[in-house]
Amino acid sequence: DVKVTQSSRYLVKRTGEKVFLECVQDMDHENMFWYRQDPGLGLRLIYFSYDVKMKEKGDIPEGYSVSREKKERFSLILESASTNQTSMYLCASSSGTMYRGNTEAFFGQGTRLTVV
Amino acid sequence: AQSVTQLGSHVSVSEGALVLLRCNYSSSVPPYLFWYVQYPNQGLQLLLKYTSAATLVKGINGFEAEFKKSETSFHLTKPSAHMSDAAEYFCAGGYQKVTFGTGTKLQVIP
Protein backbone atom coordinates (compact mmCIF):
# COMPACT_ATOMS: atom_id res chain seq x y z
CA ASP A 1 0.00 0.00 0.00
CA VAL A 2 1.06 3.51 -0.72
CA LYS A 3 1.91 5.31 2.43
CA VAL A 4 2.15 9.03 2.96
CA THR A 5 3.30 9.86 6.45
CA GLN A 6 3.10 13.23 8.11
CA SER A 7 5.42 13.66 11.06
CA SER A 8 2.87 15.02 13.52
CA ARG A 9 -0.89 14.65 13.97
CA TYR A 10 -1.18 17.64 16.28
CA LEU A 11 1.06 20.65 16.79
CA VAL A 12 0.76 23.73 18.95
CA LYS A 13 3.10 26.61 18.17
CA ARG A 14 3.48 30.20 19.27
CA THR A 15 3.01 33.22 17.05
CA GLY A 16 6.25 34.13 15.33
CA GLU A 17 7.79 30.68 15.56
CA LYS A 18 9.27 28.98 12.51
CA VAL A 19 7.34 25.78 11.94
CA PHE A 20 8.33 22.73 9.93
CA LEU A 21 5.79 20.18 8.73
CA GLU A 22 7.33 17.03 7.30
CA CYS A 23 5.89 14.56 4.82
CA VAL A 24 7.38 11.33 3.54
CA GLN A 25 6.01 9.00 0.85
CA ASP A 26 7.24 5.50 0.13
CA MET A 27 6.06 4.94 -3.45
CA ASP A 28 8.68 6.82 -5.43
CA HIS A 29 6.06 9.35 -6.59
CA GLU A 30 7.21 12.28 -8.67
CA ASN A 31 4.59 14.73 -7.44
CA MET A 32 3.99 15.96 -3.93
CA PHE A 33 1.53 18.53 -2.64
CA TRP A 34 0.70 20.55 0.45
CA TYR A 35 -2.90 21.59 1.08
CA ARG A 36 -4.62 23.31 3.93
CA GLN A 37 -8.15 22.37 4.85
CA ASP A 38 -10.54 24.78 6.53
CA PRO A 39 -14.26 24.35 7.21
CA GLY A 40 -16.34 25.61 4.33
CA LEU A 41 -13.31 26.23 2.14
CA GLY A 42 -12.36 22.68 1.24
CA LEU A 43 -8.76 21.97 0.32
CA ARG A 44 -6.61 24.77 -0.95
CA LEU A 45 -3.27 24.12 -2.60
CA ILE A 46 -0.30 25.83 -0.96
CA TYR A 47 2.64 24.45 -2.94
CA PHE A 48 3.44 21.46 -5.07
CA SER A 49 6.55 19.82 -6.40
CA TYR A 50 6.95 17.64 -9.44
CA ASP A 51 10.61 16.74 -8.95
CA VAL A 52 13.43 17.02 -6.49
CA LYS A 53 14.36 20.65 -5.86
CA MET A 54 11.45 21.80 -8.05
CA LYS A 55 8.50 23.64 -6.59
CA GLU A 56 5.59 25.69 -7.76
CA LYS A 57 3.20 27.98 -5.94
CA GLY A 58 -0.34 26.91 -5.48
CA ASP A 59 -3.30 29.11 -4.76
CA ILE A 60 -2.31 30.36 -1.30
CA PRO A 61 1.50 30.37 -0.96
CA GLU A 62 1.83 33.54 1.09
CA GLY A 63 3.50 32.95 4.44
CA TYR A 64 4.74 29.48 3.44
CA SER A 65 7.76 27.96 1.77
CA VAL A 66 8.67 24.40 0.89
CA SER A 67 11.70 22.21 0.49
CA ARG A 68 12.22 19.04 -1.48
CA GLU A 69 15.79 17.83 -1.20
CA LYS A 70 14.94 14.15 -1.64
CA LYS A 71 12.27 12.57 -3.79
CA GLU A 72 10.43 10.99 -0.89
CA ARG A 73 10.33 14.01 1.41
CA PHE A 74 8.45 17.29 1.08
CA SER A 75 8.58 19.85 3.85
CA LEU A 76 6.27 22.78 4.46
CA ILE A 77 7.74 25.73 6.33
CA LEU A 78 5.84 28.48 8.05
CA GLU A 79 8.44 31.23 8.24
CA SER A 80 6.75 33.12 11.06
CA ALA A 81 3.61 31.42 12.28
CA SER A 82 0.50 33.50 12.70
CA THR A 83 -2.88 32.69 14.21
CA ASN A 84 -4.54 32.72 10.78
CA GLN A 85 -2.39 29.75 9.86
CA THR A 86 -4.21 27.60 12.39
CA SER A 87 -5.58 24.85 10.18
CA MET A 88 -5.43 21.22 9.10
CA TYR A 89 -2.52 20.60 6.74
CA LEU A 90 -2.63 17.70 4.32
CA CYS A 91 0.25 16.30 2.32
CA ALA A 92 -0.34 14.23 -0.81
CA SER A 93 1.65 12.49 -3.49
CA SER A 94 0.91 11.16 -6.96
CA SER A 95 2.71 9.45 -9.78
CA GLY A 96 3.05 10.47 -13.38
CA THR A 97 4.49 13.35 -15.27
CA MET A 98 3.49 16.84 -14.39
CA TYR A 99 1.05 17.21 -17.25
CA ARG A 100 -1.01 14.12 -16.60
CA GLY A 101 -3.81 14.76 -14.14
CA ASN A 102 -5.45 11.39 -14.34
CA THR A 103 -3.60 9.79 -11.48
CA GLU A 104 -5.04 9.75 -8.02
CA ALA A 105 -3.45 11.51 -5.10
CA PHE A 106 -2.60 9.65 -1.92
CA PHE A 107 -3.01 11.63 1.25
CA GLY A 108 -1.40 11.62 4.64
CA GLN A 109 -3.45 11.66 7.84
CA GLY A 110 -3.07 15.39 8.23
CA THR A 111 -1.46 17.66 10.79
CA ARG A 112 -3.72 19.86 12.86
CA LEU A 113 -1.71 22.97 13.63
CA THR A 114 -2.77 25.46 16.25
CA VAL A 115 -0.92 28.77 16.49
CA VAL A 116 -1.43 30.59 19.76
CA ALA B 1 -9.52 28.92 -14.50
CA GLN B 2 -10.55 25.42 -13.75
CA SER B 3 -12.87 24.77 -10.82
CA VAL B 4 -15.32 22.36 -9.39
CA THR B 5 -18.41 23.29 -7.41
CA GLN B 6 -20.18 21.13 -4.90
CA LEU B 7 -23.80 21.96 -4.21
CA GLY B 8 -24.79 21.53 -0.60
CA SER B 9 -22.33 21.62 2.25
CA HIS B 10 -24.46 19.21 4.29
CA VAL B 11 -26.68 16.37 3.11
CA SER B 12 -28.78 14.16 5.38
CA VAL B 13 -30.30 10.86 4.28
CA SER B 14 -31.99 8.01 6.07
CA GLU B 15 -30.25 4.68 6.27
CA GLY B 16 -31.21 2.69 3.17
CA ALA B 17 -32.12 5.78 1.14
CA LEU B 18 -30.49 7.00 -2.05
CA VAL B 19 -27.38 9.13 -1.67
CA LEU B 20 -26.89 11.92 -4.23
CA LEU B 21 -24.00 14.34 -3.88
CA ARG B 22 -23.70 16.98 -6.58
CA CYS B 23 -20.62 18.25 -8.36
CA ASN B 24 -20.32 20.54 -11.35
CA TYR B 25 -17.14 21.45 -13.10
CA SER B 26 -16.17 24.45 -15.15
CA SER B 27 -15.97 23.91 -18.86
CA SER B 28 -12.23 24.50 -18.83
CA VAL B 29 -11.63 21.46 -16.60
CA PRO B 30 -10.38 18.55 -18.67
CA PRO B 31 -12.16 15.25 -18.17
CA TYR B 32 -10.10 14.13 -15.23
CA LEU B 33 -12.48 14.13 -12.31
CA PHE B 34 -12.36 12.47 -8.92
CA TRP B 35 -14.43 11.84 -5.83
CA TYR B 36 -12.61 11.49 -2.51
CA VAL B 37 -13.95 10.60 0.91
CA GLN B 38 -12.65 11.77 4.27
CA TYR B 39 -13.63 9.96 7.43
CA PRO B 40 -13.26 11.85 10.73
CA ASN B 41 -9.66 12.55 11.70
CA GLN B 42 -8.29 10.92 8.59
CA GLY B 43 -6.81 11.97 5.28
CA LEU B 44 -8.66 11.69 2.00
CA GLN B 45 -8.97 8.48 0.05
CA LEU B 46 -10.07 7.94 -3.51
CA LEU B 47 -13.62 6.74 -4.15
CA LEU B 48 -13.52 6.82 -7.92
CA LYS B 49 -12.12 8.68 -10.88
CA TYR B 50 -13.25 9.56 -14.39
CA THR B 51 -10.69 9.46 -17.17
CA SER B 52 -12.94 9.43 -20.27
CA ALA B 53 -13.01 5.65 -20.67
CA ALA B 54 -16.67 5.39 -19.62
CA THR B 55 -19.25 7.92 -18.52
CA LEU B 56 -20.50 5.78 -15.63
CA VAL B 57 -17.75 5.12 -13.16
CA LYS B 58 -18.00 2.61 -10.36
CA GLY B 59 -16.01 3.09 -7.21
CA ILE B 60 -15.49 1.50 -3.86
CA ASN B 61 -18.18 0.89 -1.21
CA GLY B 62 -21.00 0.81 -3.77
CA PHE B 63 -20.59 4.39 -4.97
CA GLU B 64 -20.76 5.42 -8.60
CA ALA B 65 -20.69 8.66 -10.54
CA GLU B 66 -21.90 9.65 -13.97
CA PHE B 67 -20.06 12.11 -16.17
CA LYS B 68 -22.51 14.29 -18.12
CA LYS B 69 -20.76 16.63 -20.48
CA SER B 70 -23.96 18.42 -21.50
CA GLU B 71 -24.62 19.32 -17.87
CA THR B 72 -20.93 19.67 -16.86
CA SER B 73 -21.75 17.43 -13.93
CA PHE B 74 -20.18 14.52 -12.12
CA HIS B 75 -22.67 13.62 -9.39
CA LEU B 76 -21.94 10.86 -6.89
CA THR B 77 -24.63 8.32 -6.04
CA LYS B 78 -25.20 5.25 -3.93
CA PRO B 79 -28.49 3.34 -4.06
CA SER B 80 -28.71 2.59 -0.35
CA ALA B 81 -26.97 4.57 2.38
CA HIS B 82 -25.23 2.82 5.21
CA MET B 83 -24.28 4.30 8.56
CA SER B 84 -20.62 3.83 7.69
CA ASP B 85 -21.03 6.22 4.73
CA ALA B 86 -21.17 9.19 7.10
CA ALA B 87 -18.15 11.25 6.09
CA GLU B 88 -17.14 14.31 4.09
CA TYR B 89 -16.98 13.92 0.34
CA PHE B 90 -14.89 16.00 -2.02
CA CYS B 91 -15.18 16.36 -5.76
CA ALA B 92 -11.93 17.25 -7.50
CA GLY B 93 -10.72 17.90 -11.01
CA GLY B 94 -7.66 19.11 -12.69
CA TYR B 95 -4.76 18.65 -14.96
CA GLN B 96 -1.46 19.90 -13.71
CA LYS B 97 -3.02 20.98 -10.42
CA VAL B 98 -6.07 19.38 -8.93
CA THR B 99 -8.80 21.71 -7.68
CA PHE B 100 -11.03 20.49 -4.87
CA GLY B 101 -14.58 21.45 -4.16
CA THR B 102 -15.56 22.76 -0.74
CA GLY B 103 -16.84 19.39 0.40
CA THR B 104 -20.20 17.88 1.36
CA LYS B 105 -20.76 16.34 4.76
CA LEU B 106 -23.04 13.35 4.57
CA GLN B 107 -25.11 12.48 7.62
CA VAL B 108 -26.88 9.13 7.69
CA ILE B 109 -29.87 8.96 9.98
CA PRO B 110 -30.75 5.57 11.45
Side-chain angles (χ1 to χ4, degrees):
Chain A
D1 280 353
V2 173
K3 196 165 184 182
V4 179
T5 304
Q6 294 183 229
S7 54
S8 304
R9 291 296 302 273
Y10 301 93
L11 274 180
V12 180
K13 297 291 181 181
R14 295 194 180 278
T15 301
E17 274 193 79
K18 191 169 186 176
V19 181
F20 294 85
L21 302 184
E22 307 286 346
C23 176
V24 176
Q25 51 96 0
D26 65 0
M27 282 302 290
D28 202 35
H29 283 169
E30 291 82 359
N31 310 310
M32 297 189 75
F33 308 83
W34 275 107
Y35 293 90
R36 67 176 280 176
Q37 182 180 11
D38 300 287
L41 298 177
L43 275 70
R44 292 179 291 167
L45 183 64
I46 305 171
Y47 268 96
F48 69 103
S49 168
Y50 52 91
D51 201 352
V52 175
K53 298 191 185 294
M54 304 302 289
K55 60 186 179 185
E56 287 217 7
K57 293 180 179 179
D59 300 316
I60 52 164
E62 296 78 19
Y64 303 94
S65 62
V66 290
S67 173
R68 194 169 181 197
E69 296 296 318
K70 294 185 177 181
K71 191 174 185 179
E72 67 271 18
R73 186 179 298 270
F74 193 38
S75 303
L76 179 69
I77 303 155
L78 285 66
E79 298 292 343
S80 177
S82 64
T83 55
N84 63 12
Q85 292 179 309
T86 291
S87 186
M88 170 71 86
Y89 290 87
L90 292 168
C91 176
S93 71
S94 71
S95 63
T97 61
M98 187 182 182
Y99 297 101
R100 288 178 57 210
N102 63 342
T103 57
E104 71 175 286
F106 293 86
F107 284 82
Q109 297 277 71
T111 296
R112 187 167 294 282
L113 173 67
T114 302
V115 182
V116 298
Chain B
Q2 58 194 22
S3 70
V4 292
T5 302
Q6 290 183 246
L7 303 177
S9 59
H10 290 82
V11 170
S12 293
V13 300
S14 298
E15 192 174 15
L18 172 72
V19 175
L20 171 60
L21 305 182
R22 299 176 187 274
C23 174
N24 288 86
Y25 63 93
S26 67
S27 59
S28 61
V29 172
Y32 295 146
L33 294 165
F34 307 83
W35 275 100
Y36 287 85
V37 61
Q38 185 180 34
Y39 298 104
N41 298 317
Q42 294 187 26
L44 280 70
Q45 65 182 82
L46 183 72
L47 269 181
L48 50 82
K49 66 179 181 182
Y50 170 75
T51 56
S52 76
T55 56
L56 184 63
V57 183
K58 293 188 183 298
I60 62 171
N61 302 336
F63 284 92
E64 61 183 35
E66 186 173 8
F67 175 75
K68 290 187 177 180
K69 188 175 180 180
S70 60
E71 299 177 5
T72 62
S73 69
F74 190 57
H75 301 333
L76 182 71
T77 60
K78 182 174 181 178
S80 176
H82 192 272
M83 295 299 295
S84 61
D85 295 326
E88 189 161 18
Y89 293 80
F90 292 91
C91 180
Y95 190 51
Q96 175 181 332
K97 294 187 298 184
V98 174
T99 300
F100 283 80
T102 52
T104 299
K105 283 190 177 177
L106 176 66
Q107 180 187 22
V108 182
I109 303 166

